[in-house]
C-alpha cells in the first residue's frame, strides 16, 4: 500500500533513480489475508473513519507487527488502540 502511494506521482514510463534504488533495497511485503482481516477489524472498530487507504496501511503494519514510519502521525493516531505503533523520523528527538 505504501509503495503504491510512492508510485502515484510517477509517469508511466519514467521512474526516478531514487525510487528505483529504494525498491532495490527494500523487502516489499504483500497485503495478504492476515492484513485483510486486520483491515476488516479496523473498519468495524472505526466505522466513521473515511480514509480507507490509511486504514489499509495501518492494518498492514499491525498484521506484520512493524512500526509505521510516517510524517502524518495525526491520521494514524486513531489506530494506536488497535496496536499500531507510529514513529515520525522527521521530528527532532
Amino acid at each position: 500500500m505504501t509503495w503504491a502511494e510512492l508510485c502515484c506521482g510517477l509517469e508511466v514510463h519514467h521512474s526516478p533513480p531514487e525510487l528505483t534504488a529504494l525498491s532495490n533495497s527494500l523487502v516489499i511485503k504483500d497485503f495478504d489475508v492476515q492484513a485483510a482481516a486486520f483491515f476488516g477489524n479496523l473498519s468495524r472498530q472505526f466505522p466513521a473513519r473515511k480514509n480507507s487507504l490509511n486504514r489499509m496501511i495501518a492494518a498492514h503494519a499491525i498484521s506484520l507487527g512493524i512500526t509505521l514510519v510516517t510524517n502524518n502521525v495525526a491520521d494514524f493516531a486513531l489506530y494506536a488502540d488497535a496496536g499500531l505503533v507510529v514513529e515520525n523520523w522527521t521530528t527532532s528527538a
Side-chain angles (χ1 to χ4, degrees), residues 42-90:
L42 291 180
S43 296
R44 284 186 293 281
Q45 278 183 274
F46 307 101
R49 186 74 175 175
K50 293 184 182 184
N51 190 333
S52 61
L53 184 57
N54 282 353
R55 187 169 42 246
M56 290 181 93
I57 292 169
H60 199 198
I62 294 167
S63 75
L64 294 170
I66 61 173
T67 298
L68 176 64
V69 178
T70 181
N71 190 31
N72 191 7
V73 174
D75 280 2
F76 291 97
L78 175 69
Y79 304 114
D81 289 342
L84 182 64
V85 177
V86 178
E87 284 186 25
N88 183 345
W89 291 356
T90 66

Side-chain angles (χ1 to χ4, degrees), residues 4-47:
E5 281 196 318
L6 288 172
C7 294
C8 277
L10 296 178
E11 293 179 9
V12 175
H13 300 290
H14 301 331
S15 175
E18 297 85 6
L19 194 58
T20 300
L22 180 60
S23 72
N24 292 334
S25 66
L26 295 175
V27 175
I28 299 172
K29 297 290 195 172
D30 290 335
F31 189 90
D32 59 12
V33 172
Q34 185 176 353
F38 275 96
F39 176 73
N41 289 337
L42 291 180
S43 296
R44 284 186 293 281
Q45 278 183 274
F46 307 101

